[in-house]
Amino acid sequence: MSSNTFGKLFSVTTFGESHGPAIGCVIDGCPPGLEIAPEAFRHDLERRATGKSRHTSARREKDEVEILSGVFEGQTTGTPIALLIRNTDARSKDYADIARQFRPGHADYAYWQKYGIRDPRGGGRSSARETTVRVAAAVIAKKWLAQRYGIGIRGFLAQLGPIVPQGFDWNAVEGNAFFWPCAEQVPELEEYMDALRKSGDSVGARVNVVADNVPPGWGGPVYGKLDGELAAALMSINAVKGVEIGDGFASVVQLGSEHRDGMTRDGFLSNHAGGVLGGISTGQQVRASIALKPTSSLRLPARSLDVDGNEIEVVTKGRHDPCVGIRATPIAEAMMALVLMDLALLHRAQCADVGPVRPRISSGDGLD
Ligand code: EPS
């Protein structure tokens, strides 16, 4: 009940701080017999890591995953899987000056109010460093979902500050440091980020994430809705301030005749719902979008208080992300995977004897 565990049947408990000796997680409820090698984690952890381009924090972590339990001879055993990642490049002296100060817009004030004590080094537990182990846990979920159902989960950066994609190609996304779907715009993004970094400021972003081949029927009404679980999962990512499912807030100005997704023998005619109706998957592509705020660790001075209540001017030193959204795509994918994995197991537990139910409408994705 201390909010460090996510999921019911596929549950992930994470632990660790940004500048502690290690971060890690315990995954309980993973089905047995899934092949998983330590190298399996590398790809997604590298996609999420800092220090890969000048546009993210310069901290360089090895992010080597040690599997401590739950895997025997390369296969999951059904028992808890413990993963450990050692922190190897923390530079705690960067935080000495702000150890007793609050950064406006940062979690450190709220943590202080809650616990009366905090680990200020690298943001402690509130650091985006914690997302590393979510991504590691989701490698297992992604693999199981892909093998069992052919589910593919992928995301992209859908807006960086004021810049929106001028074209869309999934093949472009993994080819640049931004997860941007329009290769021609990458120089524009680089120029924007270089100027931003020079100015000492930060900016927000939007990340979209989709899951293909999710079977219909996943998600439990009314308090375990797929969209509800997704919203909670995505909102739990550091810096996320908004979550949309399907058309999300654009639905406000739509008419019902526009928003509804027509159904034909050949498939759905559109996907405004984002693959979820009544909190249950429809078999269409599951679509979510998140808004990430601009990060608060800035070298630009700001008015604030110290822990004794004195008015101060706070300045943050160190290696920070001017746009944390740039690294958020694999994290959003991870949270989507953890939700779907949990709901898959829950659906199997209750409804394995149901169906197949007719008619089954094909997703029709790509039609809208
Ligand atoms: C972070 C601040 C920086 C980032 C860190 C997230 O930490 P530090 O000051 O220790 O370099 O580098 O990100 C990671 C280390 C990571 O692996 O994501 C923050 O305040 O959230």
Side-chain angles (χ1 to χ4, degrees):
M1 288 302 288
S2 290
S3 306
N4 292 293
T5 301
F6 180 81
K8 295 187 179 75
L9 288 191
F10 186 88
S11 76
V12 180
T13 303
T14 76
F15 61 86
E17 284 82 28
S18 182
H19 288 204
I23 51 175
C25 67
V26 176
I27 302 156
D28 202 1
C30 182
L34 181 75
E35 281 182 14
I36 204 86
E39 308 82 67
F41 300 98
R42 175 102 339 258
H43 178 65
D44 270 356
L45 290 185
E46 273 180 8
R47 291 171 72 228
R48 192 217 66 92
T50 52
K52 287 190 319 171
S53 83
R54 66 184 185 278
H55 309 300
T56 62
S57 158
R59 182 165 160 181
R60 279 179 201 275
E61 286 292 342
K62 293 196 187 81
D63 285 347
E64 260 159 30
V65 177
E66 295 171 46
I67 304 175
L68 303 184
S69 69
V71 178
F72 180 65
E73 294 183 342
Q75 291 195 355
T76 59
T77 59
T79 60
I81 302 167
L83 305 179
L84 192 82
I85 298 173
R86 294 182 196 277
N87 290 323
T88 55
D89 187 31
R91 216 169 61 187
S92 299
K93 69 172 169 31
D94 289 345
Y95 290 84
D97 291 348
I98 59 166
R100 295 177 61 77
Q101 301 178 341
F102 303 117
R103 284 165 282 182
H106 195 277
D108 50 29
Y109 174 72
Y111 269 61
W112 181 254
Q113 290 298 318
K114 183 169 183 66
Y115 299 110
I117 180 171
R118 73 188 162 104
D119 177 353
R121 303 164 308 158
R125 181 89 181 130
S126 71
S127 170
R129 177 92 191 113
E130 185 268 347
T131 61
T132 319
V133 288
R134 304 180 191 213
V135 171
V139 165
I140 296 175
K142 277 183 173 180
K143 184 157 190 197
W144 188 83
L145 290 164
Q147 276 187 4
R148 191 106 171 98
Y149 297 100
I151 292 175
I153 299 170
R154 51 193 175 163
F156 61 95
L157 190 60
Q159 188 164 347
L160 188 155
I163 307 173
V164 292
Q166 297 300 318
F168 190 90
D169 179 3
W170 274 116
N171 295 322
V173 172
E174 299 294 325
N176 63 78
F178 302 93
F179 300 95
W180 194 258
C182 177
E184 293 74 33
Q185 279 178 289
V186 170
E188 182 190 351
L189 300 182
E190 300 204 302
E191 205 179 303
Y192 181 86
M193 288 305 300
D194 286 341
L196 183 74
R197 199 174 52 252
K198 224 170 172 182
S199 76
D201 220 329
S202 64
V203 78
R206 178 193 278 268
V207 168
N208 289 359
V209 59
V210 303
D212 287 296
N213 297 332
V214 176
W218 292 7
V222 291
Y223 300 114
K225 290 180 173 182
L226 168 53
D227 40 4
E229 299 291 310
L230 256 183
L234 293 169
M235 191 62 97
S236 78
I237 299 170
N238 316 55
V240 171
K241 284 298 192 188
V243 178
E244 294 183 307
I245 308 292
D247 283 4
F249 283 92
S251 312
V252 172
V253 292
Q254 292 173 354
L255 300 174
S257 52
E258 267 181 275
H259 182 86
R260 63 187 176 179
D261 299 312
M263 300 152 108
T264 71
R265 280 173 190 264
D266 296 328
F268 285 94
L269 295 175
S270 54
N271 187 3
H272 299 286
V276 191
L277 293 172
I280 300 173
S281 58
T282 59
Q284 291 187 277
Q285 187 178 64
V286 177
R287 298 180 178 177
S289 183
I290 57 177
L292 296 112
K293 71 175 184 178
T295 42
S296 51
S297 297
L298 307 178
R299 62 167 204 272
L300 300 177
R303 286 183 65 182
S304 188
L305 297 180
D306 66 17
V307 297
D308 299 314
N310 301 308
E311 290 206 346
I312 51 135
E313 195 169 70
V314 66
V315 171
T316 311
K317 295 182 200 146
R319 307 166 291 180
H320 298 286
D321 291 271
C323 176
V324 82
I326 291 176
R327 298 197 286 126
T329 293
I331 308 167
E333 291 172 3
M335 295 317 290
M336 174 84 94
L338 295 179
V339 168
L340 291 175
M341 179 85 199
D342 197 36
L343 294 184
L345 297 182
L346 284 161
H347 181 67
R348 218 164 65 156
Q350 187 191 9
C351 298
D353 300 334
V354 178
V357 179
R358 299 282 169 226
R360 180 159 292 188
I361 304 169
S362 73
S363 75
D365 285 322
L367 291 176
D368 55 334

